[in-house]
Amino acid sequence: MKALMFYAPEDLRVEDVPEPEVGPGEIKLRVRNCSTCGTDVKIFYNGHQNLSPPRIIGHEIAGEIVAIGDGVDGWEIGARVQVIAAVPCGECYECSRGWMEVCQNQTSMGYQYDGGFAEYMIVPRAVLKVDGLNRIPAGVGYDEASAAEPLACAINAQRILGIEGGDTVVVFGAGPIGAMHIRLARANGAGRIFLVDVNDERLKMTADAVHPDEVINGAEIIDGVAVDVVERVKELTNGRGADAIITATAANIAQEQAISMAARNGKISFFGGLPKTNPTITCDSNLVHYRQLRIFGANGSAPHHNKAALEMIASGKVPVKDLITEHIALENVLDAFDIVKRGAAIKVTVEP
């Protein structure tokens, strides 16, 4: 079969490799869609500490069951399924408390297990053990189902954040996850929503799809002066600031601006992780204290968030079909990485 093999940073090749055989406790899929994200681009250039080459990467996976190993019940050949990306152990303290998204023994598809940039793949017993294989609802395409994994991460973040009816929400980052956050925030009852980025083309592309109430380009120069994102948000809210802010970008300044623009009793989600070489920000602790701000982290998703994502896609509460603006054949998968890097599409999916 054809698969994308990771050997080292900037050494990824589409090759013919042996088709995997299903073992006891496993399920074999014919991959129909594996979507891409910024993490794939990071892996391309930097690898990952949990990824041991050679490895087939790809973690936003949807496909069709073609073989079932001994000891696996409840599934049938031909079932349409979506696979979780982050795999909790189901046994540690965090898992026992229901916090599977922060499992201390977490493994991942495309890292410790071969992923979805391939014609066929094995769903390991570790995924089945934690109910991490999900049926795709009727009417939901494989491409949409592959986007359930990033939506699951947004669901986890917004459940922690607790958006309330009428909240003014700011989303930093006009990528696919920012677009999903906007649609999810609306489904969760948000009032006005502002989208912030520094890439004008990406802002326009995403705004045309999800229609935020205001678009703010942090790199824009007006009358010789750069736009002050914090002041612009305050202008739009009569000086009060935003009730909820989501930093869906790996930018230190976005987190600092989020704290500065938060209204009294405001809520902030540090959704995007910062570079490991520069993970610190300046925080005015008095703003947090006197405004009674709440700052939350958000780490990936748990299996139940993936199920919720598929349900929201199926119900139409959070559409994703129109966000998938590029469909790429497996043999051209490296082109998909380049498109993601340039921000030339909202969501890119690969179809083996």
Side-chain angles (χ1 to χ4, degrees):
M1 69 169 186
K2 292 203 177 301
L4 177 66
M5 300 297 299
F6 175 93
Y7 288 98
E10 299 189 57
D11 183 9
L12 286 79
R13 312 168 210 164
V14 177
E15 296 181 329
D16 287 316
V17 301
E19 187 176 316
E21 297 294 329
V22 69
E26 299 174 340
I27 284 178
K28 179 177 176 179
L29 301 186
R30 171 72 172 93
V31 180
R32 296 300 182 186
N33 281 89
C34 185
S35 290
T36 59
C37 74
T39 299
D40 296 314
V41 176
K42 292 178 188 175
I43 289 172
F44 179 92
Y45 287 102
N46 305 308
H48 193 278
Q49 61 185 4
N50 295 330
L51 197 162
S52 300
R55 175 70 67 203
I56 301 171
I57 64 170
H59 59 274
E60 298 183 9
I61 304 161
E64 176 185 357
I65 294 178
V66 294
I68 301 171
D70 291 343
V72 177
D73 299 318
W75 294 101
E76 67 282 345
I77 303 299
R80 302 165 65 248
V81 295
Q82 178 259 357
V83 187
I84 62 172
V87 185
C89 71
E91 299 176 356
C92 67
Y93 176 82
E94 287 75 16
C95 286
S96 72
R97 295 294 302 272
W99 308 330
M100 285 188 165
E101 64 273 16
V102 287
C103 168
Q104 59 183 283
N105 303 312
Q106 177 184 294
T107 52
S108 300
M109 300 304 302
Y111 292 69
Q112 289 89 349
Y113 317 105
D114 281 332
F117 291 135
E119 293 180 281
Y120 295 91
M121 61 161 281
I122 298 298
V123 179
R125 62 172 68 226
V127 168
L128 299 177
K129 172 186 172 183
V130 294
D131 194 23
L133 188 65
N134 301 305
R135 290 185 186 273
I136 300 174
V140 175
Y142 286 112
D143 54 351
E144 296 170 277
S146 70
E149 190 277 330
L151 178 56
C153 298
I155 288 171
N156 175 43
Q158 291 202 25
R159 285 182 177 176
I160 295 169
L161 191 61
I163 289 175
E164 297 173 301
D167 276 354
T168 296
V169 178
V170 173
V171 175
F172 281 88
I177 198 71
M180 291 182 187
H181 268 299
I182 288 174
R183 284 191 169 161
L184 181 61
R186 282 223 172 87
N188 286 333
R192 292 190 298 164
I193 303 176
F194 310 148
L195 176 62
V196 181
D197 206 300
V198 295
N199 183 316
D200 202 50
E201 290 183 4
R202 188 165 55 189
L203 270 168
K204 183 180 186 310
M205 180 172 54
T206 299
D208 286 347
V210 299
H211 308 294
D213 297 280
E214 190 77 23
V215 170
I216 303 171
N217 184 345
E220 187 176 6
I221 306 295
I222 300 177
D223 297 329
V225 179
V227 167
D228 186 319
V229 173
V230 174
E231 287 307 310
R232 182 61 182 141
V233 169
K234 288 184 177 179
E235 286 174 14
L236 292 165
T237 57
N238 296 319
R240 212 176 65 80
D243 299 298
I245 304 119
I246 300 164
T247 60
T249 179
N252 306 61
I253 191 171
Q255 295 186 355
E256 294 172 350
Q257 290 172 332
I259 294 169
S260 296
M261 69 173 60
R264 295 174 185 274
N265 214 41
K267 302 160 288 193
I268 301 164
S269 173
F270 285 176
F271 182 87
L274 299 182
K276 288 182 171 53
T277 54
N278 185 22
T280 61
I281 65 168
T282 298
C283 171
D284 185 336
S285 180
N286 277 340
L287 286 181
V288 178
H289 172 67
Y290 288 110
R291 291 188 194 170
Q292 195 171 287
L293 304 183
R294 291 159 287 171
I295 302 173
F296 301 98
N299 178 61
S301 63
H304 65 90
H305 295 121
N306 286 252
K307 296 185 193 314
L310 287 167
E311 291 169 3
M312 296 196 87
I313 293 169
S315 69
K317 289 181 179 178
V318 182
V320 297
K321 186 78 170 178
D322 62 324
L323 302 182
I324 304 168
T325 53
E326 290 283 350
H327 292 69
I328 304 290
L330 179 60
E331 53 264 33
N332 300 321
V333 61
L334 295 179
D335 293 340
F337 287 15
D338 181 61
I339 293 169
V340 173
K341 179 187 176 186
R342 291 186 288 110
I346 301 179
K347 190 71 177 169
V348 183
T349 193
V350 174
E351 298 178 335

